[in-house]
C-alpha cells in the first residue's frame, strides 16, 4: 500500500508526540520538530509505503533526540494491563479468540483505564461483526497442518495473540507456529524480547524480522526471515503496518487481521473506518 | 514571535484542511500534501514567524492546487451570520464592546451553529474575565484623540470590530480611525473588500497592508502602509497572527486583543490556553 494524503500530517503529528514524550525544553523540541519536517520531506514520495517511511522517520528522530525507545514505559504498562486481563477470557472458543486478537489491536491498554472499563471496551469489540470475514478459509487451511507464520503488531495486544495461538493449536494440533516480532524498539510495536517475556516460545518459534521497521517490509528484513516467510503455508498478519507492507505482494497465503482505524487504510481496502476485518486479498 | 514546536504540525494539518476543501481526487490530494511537506521544509527555520511562514506556505499551496481562495464560502457564511447577530448587541457599553471584539475572534461563525447557540457562546465569552487587561490604559490614550490604527483578523469577527469601533468613536470622538485588512484572500482573514462590504468606510479609512500574509508583517507590507503604521498614536491588533508578527517590535503603542487559542501563543505570553487578553507588552 502506498501513502494516502493523510499519511503526511499523521507522520508529523506522531513525531510531535514522540518529541513531547522525550524532550522537556521548548528549544530542543523545536529543533527536533524542524528535523522531523526536513527528514520527512526527504523520505516521503508518492510511491512510499507509510509504515516504511514512517518507521525510517521515527528511527531518525530517535537518534536525533538521543532516545532509542520513547515508548518503553507505555509498552511496559500495556503489557502489564493486557496480561492481567487474560484470565477473564481463558477458554475462549476459536471465533472469540480470533475476535479478541483483533480487539487487542483496537483498545489502548495504557491510557489509565480501569481494568473494568477496558474489559467493557473489549467486550464491545467482541459484540461487533467482522465486515469482511475470511476466517473459515483460514481455519480450513490450518486444518491441513503445515507451517503458520504469525506477524505481531503492538505490545499489550500480544497477550491476546498468545491466547489466539493457543486456541489455534488446540483446534489444529498439526500446525507448527512461528511468531514474528521486531528486532528492536519502534513506536509501541512488540519486540522479540516482548514475545519471549510473554512466553511465546512455549507455543512456537519466536523469530525476528531482522529489522526495526513497523510491519513486515521484506526488502528490509533479514535473509533468514525472508527464507522463513517464503517457506510457510499460512500467514496471519496483525494490524495496519503489516497490511501496509504486505498488501502489495498479492500473496494468497496472507490473512490480515485488523481494524481499519484510519481513513487511509479504510479507503485502500474500501470499507468504512472502524471496520473489523479478517481479510485475504485473494478471496475478495 | 518565533515558531514553537507545535507550529510545524499545525501548519501541515492546516494544509491538509485546505487540500480537502479544494480537491476531491485522492491522487491530487496526495500530490498537494507532498508539495506542502516539501515547501514547509524549505520555509520553516528556528527564526521563522509562524504567521509569515504559514502564510507563504498556504499561498504556495493555493497556487499549486489552482484555488486562490479556498475559504471563500466559509468567509461568506461567517460574515452573514455575524452580521445577523449584531442587532442583539446594539448599544453595548465600551467594556462590553471590547469583549465582544474578542468574542468575535473566539467563536466560529460558520460551523452550522444555530444563531441561538452562537449567541449563547458569545455571552459565555462575555462572562469571562480578561486575564491581562490593559484596556484602561488604552482608553486613556484614546481620550487624548489622535490616530488609531485598527488591525483586523478574520471574517465574521469584523462585524464585532465594527461595533467596537463605533462605540470607541462615541466615547472618544476626537479619534481618527484607520482600519487595516489584507490585500487579498488568505485563510479566513478579512480583506479590504470584506471591510468595505461591511461598511467600515463609514467609521474611518480602510487601508490594505499591501500583502496577503496573515497578521501584519511590516517587512512584507507596502511602503504606504509602513508609513501609516509609523504615523499613528495607538494600534489595536486583533488575533494571534497580529500578535505573532508585531510582538517582536517592542512597540508601546500596540494593544493586542486576543484569545490565546493555541499552546504556542499561550506559552509565548505565559498564560493558560484560552485566556482572554487586552495586552500591551510595554505595560507588563
Amino acid at each position: 500500500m502506498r501513502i494516502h494524503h493523510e499519511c503526511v500530517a499523521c507522520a508529523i503529528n506522531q513525531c510531535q508526540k514522540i518529541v513531547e514524550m522525550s524532550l522537556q525544553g521548548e528549544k530542543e523540541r523545536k529543533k527536533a520538530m524542524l528535523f522531523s519536517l526536513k527528514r520527512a520531506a526527504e523520505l516521503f514520495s508518492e510511491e512510499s509505503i507509510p509504515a516504511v517511511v514512517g518507521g525510517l522517520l521515527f528511527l531518525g528522530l530517535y537518534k536525533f533526540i538521543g532516545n532509542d525507545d520513547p515508548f518503553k514505559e507505555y509498552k511496559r504498562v500495556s503489557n502489564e494491563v493486557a496480561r492481567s486481563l487474560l484470565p477473564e477470557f481463558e477458554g475462549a472458543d476459536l471465533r472469540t479468540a480470533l475476535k479478541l486478537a483483533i480487539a487487542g489491536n483496537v483498545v489502548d491498554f495504557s491510557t489509565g483505564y480501569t481494568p473494568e472499563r477496558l474489559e467493557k471496551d473489549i467486550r464491545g469489540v467482541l459484540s461487533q461483526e467482522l465486515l469482511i470475514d475470511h476466517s473459515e478459509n483460514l481455519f480450513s487451511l490450518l486444518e491441513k497442518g503445515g507451517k503458520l507464520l504469525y506477524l505481531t503488531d503492538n505490545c499489550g495486544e500480544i497477550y491476546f495473540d498468545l491466547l489466539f495461538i493457543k486456541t489455534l493449536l488446540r483446534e489444529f494440533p498439526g500446525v507448527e507456529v512461528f511468531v514474528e516480532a521486531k528486532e528492536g524498539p519502534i513506536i509501541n510495536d512488540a519486540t522479540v524480547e516482548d514475545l519471549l517475556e510473554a512466553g511465546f516460545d512455549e507455543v512456537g518459534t519466536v523469530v525476528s524480522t531482522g529489522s526495526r521497521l513497523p510491519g513486515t517490509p521484506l526488502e528490509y528484513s533479514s535473509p533468514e526471515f525472508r527464507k522463513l516467510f517464503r517457506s510457510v503455508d499460512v500467514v496471519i498478519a496483525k494490524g495496519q503496518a503489516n497490511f501496509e507492507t504486505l498488501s502489495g505482494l498479492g500473496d494468497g497465503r496472507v490473512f490480515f487481521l485488523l481494524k481499519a482505524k484510519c481513513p487511509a487504510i479504510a479507503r485502500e481496502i474500501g470499507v468504512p473506518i472502524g471496520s473489523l476485518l479478517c481479510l485475504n486479498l485473494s478471496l475478495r
Side-chain angles (χ1 to χ4, degrees), chain A:
Chain A
M1 166 185 166
R2 310 299 176 185
I3 59 162
H4 286 229
H5 80 279
E6 296 96 340
C7 299
V8 172
C10 179
I12 299 291
N13 287 323
Q14 287 190 67
C15 287
Q16 184 175 325
K17 209 183 277 182
I18 292 167
V19 164
E20 290 174 349
M21 286 167 76
S22 305
L23 301 171
Q24 292 312 312
E26 175 51 29
K27 204 176 162 181
E28 289 69 39
R29 287 180 169 185
K30 180 159 100 171
K31 277 182 202 289
M33 283 311 297
L34 288 169
F35 167 83
S36 303
L37 178 64
K38 283 168 211 307
R39 187 75 188 109
E42 289 164 9
L43 286 167
F44 279 66
S45 74
E46 286 186 59
E47 300 306 314
S48 299
I49 291 169
V52 172
V53 280
L56 292 170
L57 174 62
F58 304 150
L59 287 174
L61 180 58
Y62 286 8
K63 212 167 191 174
F64 185 84
I65 62 182
N67 184 344
D68 202 43
D69 191 5
F71 289 80
K72 191 172 184 169
E73 177 60 12
Y74 178 100
K75 292 188 293 182
R76 193 191 62 73
V77 174
S78 297
N79 281 336
E80 196 176 289
V81 172
R83 189 191 300 121
S84 74
L85 277 171
L86 264 196
E88 293 296 322
F89 300 99
E90 208 63 60
D93 60 33
L94 192 55
R95 191 137 196 87
T96 307
L98 176 137
K99 286 178 92 177
L100 273 171
I102 300 182
N105 186 243
V106 172
V107 297
D108 184 346
F109 290 103
S110 65
T111 47
Y113 275 150
T114 60
E116 292 74 28
R117 171 71 198 282
L118 195 53
E119 199 187 319
K120 205 183 139 212
D121 284 357
I122 290 170
R123 295 206 184 273
V125 179
L126 288 183
S127 70
Q128 272 181 62
E129 289 301 314
L130 302 189
L131 188 75
I132 300 174
D133 185 1
H134 296 140
S135 60
E136 287 309 320
N137 306 76
L138 169 66
F139 298 149
S140 302
L141 281 172
L142 293 176
E143 206 125 62
K144 299 179 194 159
K147 289 181 181 175
L148 164 67
L149 175 61
Y150 195 103
L151 309 175
T152 64
D153 188 15
N154 301 327
C155 284
E157 177 182 351
I158 52 174
Y159 286 85
F160 291 84
D161 295 324
L162 185 60
L163 182 71
F164 181 37
I165 293 172
K166 283 179 178 171
T167 314
L168 285 175
L169 283 171
R170 212 170 53 215
E171 294 283 328
F172 312 112
V175 168
E176 183 186 3
V177 176
F178 297 83
V179 193
E180 166 261 29
K182 311 304 176 289
E183 177 71 18
I186 184 70
I187 42 178
N188 64 333
D189 282 27
T191 62
V192 165
E193 220 180 305
D194 291 310
L195 293 195
L196 293 175
E197 194 195 303
F200 276 83
D201 49 347
E202 293 165 25
V203 297
T205 308
V206 172
V207 295
S208 163
T209 58
S211 159
R212 286 176 67 176
L213 293 180
T216 310
L218 294 175
E219 64 280 27
Y220 289 88
S221 302
S222 65
E224 297 75 34
F225 180 79
R226 280 203 295 271
K227 195 176 161 197
L228 173 69
F229 189 90
R230 279 195 301 270
S231 76
V232 299
D233 302 290
V234 181
V235 178
I236 295 178
K238 289 287 306 285
Q240 297 202 152
N242 278 319
F243 179 83
E244 292 169 17
T245 47
L246 294 172
S247 63
L249 289 186
D251 188 329
R253 297 172 303 157
V254 183
F255 291 79
F256 297 103
L257 227 58
L258 76 156
K259 176 173 177 167
K261 293 181 198 173
C262 78
I265 293 269
R267 187 184 304 115
E268 180 80 14
I269 304 178
V271 295
I273 294 180
S275 303
L276 306 183
L277 310 169
C278 174
L279 169 67
N280 184 312
L281 290 171
S282 307
L283 297 173
R284 289 197 87 184

